[in-house]
Amino acid sequence: MTEEGPRLSARDMIERLEPSLSPWRRVRAVAALLAGLAGVVFVTALWWSEPGPLPGRTHLAFALLTVFCLAWAGYGTWLLTRRVPLFATDRVIAGWIALSVSLVTTAGLAGIAVQRDAGLGTALGVGGGFVAAALVLVVRAHARRAELLRRRRELTGGEQA
Amino acid sequence: MSDELLVVRAQLGEWAAWAELVARWRVPVWTYVRRMLDAERADDVTQEIWLAVVRGLPGLREPGRFAPWLFTIARRSVTDRLRGEYAREKESLTTDEALVEDPVQAMADRAELIAALAGLPVLEREILVLFYLEDLSVEECAQICHVPPGTVKSRLNRARRMLREHLEERGYRP
């Protein structure tokens, strides 16, 4: 009796895993989530701080834009939680991107508030929340990467000895 | 290079470590899946397992325990396909007090063992594959099957007895 084996070679298997391991897919996922979230915050800030009563069509346009941005944020979240793994180095990069986007969003919100002379505290509060969340992500990502790098050094040293 | 080092490097996102990890564990994973399922489904399920490994590896907290983690994922995919068979099987712990002589150790012919395994029920087949073909310890088998080590031992004992009976029926004399 001849023993059978897997039909897929290691190279075939890696090729099939490539979409999940692709760096571009990870970048796309992070970009979709962050752009969606920043968009939601911007559009909502503009909508709420619009002076005077707005016509129905403007409300509809703001609502549609918000839903559109929410959909992108949802797509990014789905990709990151279900489809695309973020490895330790990716998390560090994603954390810094999140922090930059949060700072830009906060500056934008503060700019709108100053221009319309209302809601600066709220703008800074919301923006500050995003910045704080991004900072936590950056710190945790760096700690995890440092832990893995330390373990890699220990194991490599052990093998060389 | 140890599995732990490979896993740590893969968790950092090193492409070469992934290629090496797949090359090293491709056949053991497929062997487990193929012993549990038919040839048509084995390749698809193996690919599904590797996708789950790629998605789950960043969250693995103990890189040194990669093998039991990998087979836990593999088992989940297999049980999804064999849900009916697993549900039908009942654990009968009371009838296995007497230790059975190990028929697997005496078998020189691996092909014969593989043919005999196909005739066993899923729980017994699974434990023999994990313990003998994958060389996993009782503790690792217990972690993979979500049962206490004592249950693994009694299951192994029952599986050896069934295998022995099965082999004797086929006229095999170790």
Side-chain angles (χ1 to χ4, degrees):
Chain A
M1 183 176 167
T2 320
E3 273 192 48
E4 53 177 340
R7 268 179 269 175
L8 293 175
S9 68
R11 181 189 279 266
D12 292 337
M13 185 59 83
I14 278 285
E15 272 173 18
R16 290 183 185 212
L17 296 176
E18 210 148 5
S20 288
L21 290 168
S22 146
W24 280 115
R25 211 164 167 202
R26 282 176 252 160
V27 169
R28 213 170 63 198
V30 172
L33 172 62
L34 293 176
L37 279 179
V40 168
V41 173
F42 259 124
V43 173
T44 320
L46 282 172
W47 192 2
W48 282 356
S49 62
E50 199 63 44
L54 292 172
R57 251 187 291 176
T58 314
H59 275 301
L60 184 67
F62 273 127
L64 281 176
L65 271 173
T66 311
V67 169
F68 180 75
C69 292
L70 274 174
W72 274 107
Y75 174 65
T77 310
W78 174 77
L79 274 181
L80 287 175
T81 51
R82 301 266 165 214
R83 287 281 171 265
V84 187
L86 275 190
F87 299 111
T89 309
D90 305 330
R91 280 172 200 260
V92 171
I93 298 167
W96 280 107
I97 296 174
L99 187 59
S100 318
V101 173
S102 303
L103 286 169
V104 171
T105 307
T106 309
L109 285 178
I112 294 169
V114 168
Q115 203 180 28
R116 297 192 172 165
D117 201 20
L120 182 62
T122 315
L124 290 177
V126 172
F130 273 95
V131 171
L135 263 176
V136 170
L137 289 177
V138 168
V139 170
R140 284 180 54 179
H142 270 286
R144 173 80 175 133
R145 186 164 179 271
E147 181 192 325
L148 287 172
L149 286 173
R150 192 169 52 243
R151 191 73 192 123
R152 187 177 73 175
R153 267 196 309 276
E154 285 167 9
L155 291 168
T156 316
E159 286 198 356
Q160 278 167 353
Chain B
M1 189 185 294
S2 70
D3 276 341
E4 185 176 0
L5 178 55
L6 266 185
V7 171
V8 167
R9 287 178 51 208
Q11 286 183 317
L12 282 162
E14 288 182 34
W15 174 261
W18 271 106
E20 175 68 27
L21 208 57
V22 170
R24 191 177 286 188
W25 285 95
R26 180 181 63 101
V27 174
V29 170
W30 182 88
T31 301
Y32 167 72
V33 175
R34 178 62 188 95
R35 298 288 71 88
M36 301 305 293
L37 299 172
D38 51 74
E40 281 73 41
R41 290 186 289 182
D43 287 290
D44 286 345
V45 172
T46 305
Q47 191 187 332
E48 177 187 304
I49 291 165
W50 278 107
L51 275 173
V53 168
V54 167
R55 285 170 200 153
L57 199 78
L60 175 63
R61 287 285 146 186
E62 291 180 86
R65 298 189 57 73
F66 175 70
W69 177 80
L70 172 66
F71 282 102
T72 304
I73 290 178
R75 185 177 189 264
R76 202 177 304 142
S77 290
V78 167
T79 47
D80 279 349
R81 302 302 193 294
L82 298 176
R83 204 163 284 285
E85 283 184 57
Y86 272 97
R88 271 197 303 277
E89 284 234 13
K90 294 268 190 297
E91 200 82 50
S92 51
L93 297 169
T94 49
T95 55
D96 295 311
E97 283 83 8
L99 276 177
V100 179
E101 197 186 313
D102 193 340
V104 183
Q105 298 293 2
M107 290 183 78
D109 190 346
R110 185 182 150 101
E112 187 76 33
L113 168 66
I114 285 170
L117 280 175
L120 299 186
V122 280
L123 287 180
E124 287 72 20
R125 188 163 80 235
E126 172 182 79
I127 208 70
L128 289 177
V129 171
L130 292 174
F131 191 76
Y132 288 105
L133 295 185
E134 306 293 357
D135 277 329
L136 294 164
S137 67
V138 167
E139 284 70 28
E140 287 170 332
C141 291
Q143 187 190 335
I144 294 162
C145 299
H146 305 296
V147 291
T151 308
V152 170
K153 285 179 192 161
S154 65
R155 215 178 261 184
L156 264 174
N157 202 33
R158 185 170 65 246
R160 286 188 200 111
R161 195 191 60 227
M162 291 171 97
L163 183 70
R164 194 185 183 84
E165 288 166 3
H166 197 76
L167 289 169
E168 281 169 4
E169 273 171 30
R170 292 160 62 102
Y172 183 86
R173 291 282 177 275

